Amino acid sequence: MAFKLFFRASHLHTQTASFSKSRFDDNVVTALCNSFREGRNWDAVTREFRSLELNDSSVEHVLLQLNSPTDAKAALGFFHWAAKRHNTFQHTTRSYCIAIHVLLGANLLTDARALLQSLPKRNIQPRAVVDSLLDTCHVVASTSRALAVNLLIQTYAKAKLTDVAFDVCRYVEERGFSASVVSFNALLHAVQRSEKCGFVWEVYEYMIRRRTYPNAASLRIMVDAMCKEGELQKSVDTLDRIMLKRTFRSPSMIVNCGLMLRILERRHVAESESDAVVLLRRLLQKNLLNETVVYSLIVQAKVVFGDLDSAWGFYREMVRTGFEGNAFVYTSFIGAFCRGGRVGEAIGLLREMEGKGLEPYGETFEHIVVGSAADSARLEECVRVFEEMVRVGFVPGCLVFNKVVERMCEGGYVEKANEMLSVLLDRGILPDDVTYCLLMQGYAEKEEVEEVLKLYYEMEYRCVSPGLAVFVTIVRCLCRCGKVEDGERYLRIMKGRLVTPDMSVYEVLIDGYMKKGDSARALRLRNEMASLEL
């Protein structure tokens, strides 16, 4: 008996040795496959086939022989044995993909994922992996192409290779496949937890445009992303302006309203108005957005893309069919009219919406304030609307307030503008150096130097850093009032704060000293100015 076993081992050794020198014979493939089917110890298999030389073709041959659900574990064992048997041998991408399809055919998802997770470490081009997965499925006679591609996307997402995962999503689309919502969710989750959270919207928009619609998990991820960015309230506020506040705001409405607002805000790169409208109608068909929200955003889309007449006609037609105007739609038109210089019509719309019981919000007033401020003939109207805005509890942005201050100071109402600043400071406005500079210039025109300096001290108290324009205004005002020495003192303060003076500061000081007959100081300043090469 011992002699027979010895003879069999010697015979197989001689046989495999001879095959290694000529070709990988079917008998050797069968013997190798049977060894792994029987679960033999790897060391024993290695000793038996120690003279066997493996190559890409022979490895593929064995894997295909083990291409059945019952042999999938044996195929995996052979795959790992082959990789460890020779230090110089490395599996090709094709061998990996064949092994993955064999495992998926047996529903061994965990093992298939493990092989996929090793691919990124091999620095293989992701698109090459996709091509190989799609091509080898025909060799294996597998129906797991879509599953394999989706697991690949999920693998890259889990490895935090979000750009790669998204590129694979787009590439498989070119190859005639679509990533599943599960794969998109894996990518959305990875992006949302990364430092480039804003990228989540690009992925989500692509997903919607490719008609892969979100499920509860997708929406939960997107809500988390909105919270992380601080954008959730903006979407909720928009819905409040469109719908009755007692209407339920579903996560789908909040997320998809946020998506469309982003698309409209970046109108310079969006495809077209019709593209936005088509996307909105698709969201309506899939019940991802409320009808009232969709039609309001269609109006906004037409306004944003500059088709005001079409927007107005669409709105009037919707009103005839029972659509009720809302604060969001009115504000869209008010903003468009103001930007077009039709401030009177905008104010008319403001009164119309108030007559319907609709509440204007901060942006509504700001449109009219900015539009009125651009027309010097409407200064009183600008101030009246601004005061109404403040009275109902809205605090304007600093840029809007600066436009009002500028027009009021030009009209000689600097005291009124300063009073308004005092009121708004109590309500939380954060003025900048431009705000104070405009008020200083208004008082400087009246040569009220004490008020100019009071504003400077207030800036200091509120830790608002004065810029060049502030110091220029102070120095000019002091010199105009004959206080040239005080003006020069502010020049020194200015330089001490590392604010570089310009030529006008020196010229006004030199002119002031010359008028006072102090040519020595004037000459000293001229030399100082020359040394600075202004």
Side-chain angles (χ1 to χ4, degrees), residues 4 13 20 23 42 126 131 168 211 260 274 281 305 322 336 380 411 470 480 519:
K4 287 182 179 179
H13 170 66
S20 68
R23 62 190 178 86
W42 283 12
D131 290 336
V168 171
R211 300 177 187 271
M260 292 310 305
S274 60
R281 292 188 185 279
F305 283 96
E380 292 184 4
V470 169
R480 189 185 303 172
S519 57

Side-chain angles (χ1 to χ4, degrees), residues 347-386:
I347 293 175
L349 281 179
L350 174 63
R351 302 310 170 204
E352 181 181 318
M353 70 182 289
E354 289 175 334
K356 291 183 176 181
L358 300 173
E359 295 181 2
Y361 49 98
E363 192 176 337
T364 317
F365 290 111
E366 287 183 356
H367 285 316
I368 295 178
V369 168
V370 173
S372 302
D375 185 354
S376 57
R378 291 186 176 275
L379 176 59
E380 292 184 4
E381 206 162 37
C382 172
V383 174
R384 186 166 59 252
V385 174
F386 186 84

Side-chain angles (χ1 to χ4, degrees), residues 46-65:
T46 300
R47 284 193 300 271
E48 184 171 339
F49 296 94
R50 61 180 175 272
S51 299
L52 191 65
E53 292 182 3
L54 297 176
N55 57 38
D56 299 337
S57 177
S58 60
V59 167
E60 181 176 333
H61 192 179
V62 174
L63 287 173
L64 292 176
Q65 288 297 311

Side-chain angles (χ1 to χ4, degrees), residues 433 437 465-474 494 499-502 504-505:
D433 65 322
C437 186
S465 299
L468 175 62
V470 169
F471 284 110
V472 169
T473 302
I474 293 172
M494 177 182 182
V499 178
T500 304
D502 63 2
S504 66
V505 176

Side-chain angles (χ1 to χ4, degrees), residues 265-335:
E265 284 172 1
R266 64 157 213 262
R267 58 191 178 277
H268 58 288
V269 295
E271 294 178 17
S272 64
E273 171 200 323
S274 60
D275 172 68
V277 172
V278 166
L279 190 56
L280 280 164
R281 292 188 185 279
R282 191 181 300 167
L283 292 171
L284 175 61
Q285 289 171 356
K286 294 296 178 179
N287 293 319
L288 295 173
L289 271 181
N290 175 281
E291 183 179 45
T292 303
V293 177
V294 168
Y295 289 133
S296 298
L297 289 172
I298 288 176
V299 170
Q300 174 73 350
K302 291 178 178 294
V303 169
V304 162
F305 283 96
D307 196 356
L308 184 55
D309 292 336
S310 173
W312 188 252
F314 176 81
Y315 170 67
R316 288 303 182 192
E317 182 62 30
M318 292 305 302
V319 169
R320 281 194 291 272
T321 58
F323 177 80
E324 294 185 4
N326 54 65
F328 178 79
V329 169
Y330 271 102
T331 298
S332 294
F333 283 121
I334 287 170

